[in-house]
């Protein structure tokens, strides 16, 4: 005997069927996640403001489209303009050789004039500030421990504006301003939102460490610029490759894009110029400071994993095998050899002269052995590099402002680049001051931004590990590439300002967290309003915090009590 219950149930009208699980959950506010098409997953569209926004301002649909197109560049340019005004304001002050400018400003001047760094007298800085034209460039070669790219950049500013504080800081300020523009555009492409991209650039504009490094002739800001440029190139390459995959996939009779395992696993993506550009930028990064090599490895892995994700989305059954066969070798050739050739080319000034340090090592001390078939200049350069490496790994002498990389993210020990304590009535100190004044340039990130970034790092790691959000993974990769390598050299003398390399990625992390605070797409007006208030308060507090510490970023003379009030942690003194 068979039961008729199932047959009876099947015979009921659709209206009489029991409500489904999603239907029942709607009574409790559940809304099903919208289904995203394959084309949108491969090449996500840029977000657009709610259609209800434009009528409020009397803007029609056509004008709104034009406004959005203009905003894609106008917004980033406006943010970069503000950043440039801040960074170039009174750039020549303090009129002093501050911190390691004593090395790089002079090395850059020698490099730009004679192709190699000279051995400068120890007490020459005051003479340079007083009358740079009276100071001869030393012809004896100097032993330097960093590649030449950053010094070429600094030297270009000196060539344009002279051997003065403004001259040797000019090009670093240019790159600092351009990095803000780049971050706006990178954030826009990463988040598919002009607003969040400009927000990331705004955060970078008002970060104290980036600001101070943009106004100081050190190498780390130049390194940061090339690292960020390489990331931007790889991000563009990612979109380019995914568009190529989308164009090759079949569509059904309704014009809907469909996955195809054969296409996804066999398509060759061909010429990828943006990946070559990334290799060039990574070569220039390594040619500025050697920690650019770690970034090259991290970004190389990142771009290959992006290809894996693209082929999997397109329908590849074995995406890792497909990438190994089709993408790994082209990715390697597009980046590593290009970077190596670029790095060697940056030593051209040293190669073409016969006076650079260790330039004649191969002819004098390097005769014999198994490598004599190589050009003498290449063997001399290799010897120089090995000597420099030994210097770096054995640099363990103590320094007042050295810090452990664990403390960087909470700004445990910032570096004082410049400090003077003028008496009342001198050096900008008011005559009626009860005590001395203080004038300091402190390489300190904007505290509220960095402490917010501690939470933002946790947020992006959660998004990456548990939501498989590739954007969070990309940001985490940028932070790790600039930060993690220093944990392997904790006995070495290292400083907080090295962290400027990953500051743009911290700003991206905070921008992504603020985007979550604003609410996901489709949130109701109440949720949006609460999120906007919370996000707005956080951003305004960060900007206020930057303004509050402005005197410590610019060397402005302030009463000693005001200076003490800004020493929030004992380790900042």
């Amino acid at each position: 005997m068979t039961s008729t219950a199932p047959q009876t149930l099947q015979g009921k009208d659709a209206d009489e069927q029991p409500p489904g699980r999603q239907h029942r959950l709607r009574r409790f506010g559940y809304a099903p996640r919208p289904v995203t098409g394959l084309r949108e997953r491969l090449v996500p569209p840029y977000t657009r403001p709610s259609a209800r926004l434009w009528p409020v301002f009397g803007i029609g649909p056509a004008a709104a489209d034009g406004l959005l197109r203009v905003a894609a560049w106008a917004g980033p340019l406006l943010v970069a303009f503000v950043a440039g005004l801040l960074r170039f304001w009174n750039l020549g002050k303090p009129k002093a050789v501050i911190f390691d400018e004593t090395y790089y400003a002079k090395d850059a001047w020698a490099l730009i004039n004679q192709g190699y760094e000279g051995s400068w007298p120890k007490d020459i800085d005051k003479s340079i500030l007083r009358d740079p034209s009276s100071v001869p460039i030393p012809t004896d070669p100097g032993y330097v421990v960093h590649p030449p790219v950053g010094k070429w950049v600094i030297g270009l500013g000196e060539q344009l504006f002279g051997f003065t504080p403004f001259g040797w800081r000019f090009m670093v300020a240019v790159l600092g301003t351009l990095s803000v523009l780049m971050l706006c555009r990178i954030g826009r492409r990463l988040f598919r939102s002009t607003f969040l991209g400009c927000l990331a650039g705004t955060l970078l504009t008002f970060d104290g460490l980036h600001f101070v490094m943009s106004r100081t002739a050190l190498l780390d800001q130049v390194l940061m610029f090339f690292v960020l440029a390489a990331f931007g190139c790889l991000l563009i390459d990612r979109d380019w490759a995914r568009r190529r995959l989308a164009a090759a996939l079949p569509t059904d009779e309704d014009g809907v894009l469909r996955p195809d395992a054969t296409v996804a696993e066999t398509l060759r993506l061909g010429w990828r110029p943006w990946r070559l550009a990334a290799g060039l930028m990574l070569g220039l990064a390594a040619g500025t400071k050697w920690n650019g090599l770690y970034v090259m490895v991290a970004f190389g892995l990142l771009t290959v994993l992006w290809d894996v994700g693209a082929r999997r989305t397109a329908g590849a059954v074995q995406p890792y095998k497909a990438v190994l066969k089709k993408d790994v070798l082209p990715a390697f050739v597009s980046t590593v050899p290009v970077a190596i050739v670029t790095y060697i080319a940056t030593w051209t000034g040293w190669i073409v002269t016969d006076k650079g340090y260790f330039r004649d090592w191969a002819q004098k001390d390097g005769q014999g052995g198994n490598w004599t078939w190589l050009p003498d200049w290449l063997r001399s350069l290799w010897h120089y590099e090995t000597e420099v490496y030994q210097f770096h790994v054995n640099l363990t002498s103590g320094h007042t402002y050295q810090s452990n990389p664990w403390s960087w993210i909470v700004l445990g020990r910032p570096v004082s680049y410049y400090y003077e304590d003028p008496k009342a009535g001198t050096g900008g100190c008011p005559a009626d001051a009860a005590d001395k004044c203080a004038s300091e340039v402190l390489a300190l990130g904007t505290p509220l931004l960095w402490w917010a970034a501690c939470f933002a790092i946790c947020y992006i790691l959660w998004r990456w590990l548990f939501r498989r959000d590739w954007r969070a993974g990309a940001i985490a990769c940028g932070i790790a590439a600039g930060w993690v390598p220093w944990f392997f050299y904790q006995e070495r003398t290292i400083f907080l300002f090295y962290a400027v390399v990953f500051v743009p990625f911290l700003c991206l992390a905070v921008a992504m967290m603020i985007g979550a605070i604003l609410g996901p797409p489709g949130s109701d007006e109440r949720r949006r309003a609460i999120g906007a208030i919370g996000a707005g308060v956080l951003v305004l507090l960060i900007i206020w915090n930057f303004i509050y510490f402005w005197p410590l970023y610019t060397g402005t003379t302030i009463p000693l009590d005001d200076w003490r009030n800004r020493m929030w942690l004992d380790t900042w003194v």
Side-chain angles (χ1 to χ4, degrees), residues 49-89:
S50 171
R52 291 174 295 179
L53 176 66
W54 304 116
V56 174
F57 299 99
I59 300 175
D65 289 340
L67 189 61
L68 290 175
R69 286 194 297 270
V70 171
W73 273 105
L77 286 171
L78 178 60
V79 174
F81 177 74
V82 173
L85 285 179
L86 294 174
R87 280 148 181 76
F88 280 96
W89 179 86

Side-chain angles (χ1 to χ4, degrees), residues 200-243:
T202 299
L203 295 174
L204 189 62
T205 297
F206 293 102
D207 174 61
L209 181 60
H210 185 275
F211 175 79
V212 170
M213 296 298 288
S214 297
R215 294 166 56 86
T216 312
L218 270 63
L219 303 181
D220 300 84
Q221 185 80 343
V222 181
L223 171 63
M224 178 278 307
F225 176 84
F226 290 126
V227 168
L228 185 61
F231 182 81
C233 290
L234 291 177
L235 195 60
I236 298 173
D237 173 75
R238 179 185 186 275
D239 282 353
W240 183 93
R242 293 170 80 90
R243 281 197 300 269

Side-chain angles (χ1 to χ4, degrees), residues 165-391:
F166 181 86
W168 62 62
R169 295 168 190 162
F170 175 79
M171 282 303 300
V172 184
V174 169
L175 296 190
T177 303
L178 290 178
S179 66
V180 171
L181 176 62
M182 281 198 304
L183 189 66
C184 290
R185 294 288 298 178
I186 287 171
R188 179 180 183 271
R189 184 176 291 271
L190 185 70
F191 301 127
R192 287 305 197 257
S193 167
T194 300
F195 171 76
L196 289 181
C198 290
L199 175 60
T202 299
L203 295 174
L204 189 62
T205 297
F206 293 102
D207 174 61
L209 181 60
H210 185 275
F211 175 79
V212 170
M213 296 298 288
S214 297
R215 294 166 56 86
T216 312
L218 270 63
L219 303 181
D220 300 84
Q221 185 80 343
V222 181
L223 171 63
M224 178 278 307
F225 176 84
F226 290 126
V227 168
L228 185 61
F231 182 81
C233 290
L234 291 177
L235 195 60
I236 298 173
D237 173 75
R238 179 185 186 275
D239 282 353
W240 183 93
R242 293 170 80 90
R243 281 197 300 269
R244 182 80 182 272
L245 271 172
L249 290 174
T251 56
D252 60 17
E253 60 275 9
D254 297 321
V256 177
L257 200 67
R258 295 299 180 190
D260 187 284
T262 302
V263 172
E265 293 182 357
T266 61
L267 180 68
R268 291 187 179 275
L269 296 174
W271 171 256
R272 297 174 71 165
W274 285 106
R275 191 174 266 175
L276 290 170
L280 174 64
M281 293 297 108
L282 291 169
L284 292 173
T288 303
K289 291 188 78 172
W290 278 2
N291 45 317
L293 296 172
Y294 294 102
V295 178
M296 185 188 306
V297 174
F299 283 5
L301 292 174
L302 180 67
T303 188
V304 169
L305 290 176
W306 281 350
D307 283 345
V308 171
R311 290 188 182 274
R312 179 190 289 119
T313 302
V317 179
Q318 296 179 306
Y320 285 95
K321 183 177 179 180
V323 167
L324 186 63
K325 293 172 62 176
K326 302 295 182 181
D327 299 322
V328 168
L329 182 60
F332 177 85
V333 173
S334 299
T335 53
V336 177
V338 172
I340 292 174
V341 170
T342 301
Y343 178 83
I344 294 175
T346 64
W347 284 88
T348 300
W350 181 88
I351 293 170
V352 299
T353 184
D354 58 354
K355 296 182 180 180
Y357 204 88
F358 279 136
R359 179 62 183 84
D360 57 357
W361 176 86
Q363 296 95 324
K364 291 184 177 181
D365 303 315
Q367 297 179 358
N370 298 324
W371 302 98
T372 53
W373 56 276
L374 291 173
D376 286 345
W377 66 265
L378 185 56
R379 292 193 296 123
S380 296
L381 179 60
W382 180 258
H383 176 73
Y384 195 170
E385 304 281 52
T386 57
E387 290 292 318
V388 169
Y389 177 77
Q390 292 301 320
F391 168 84

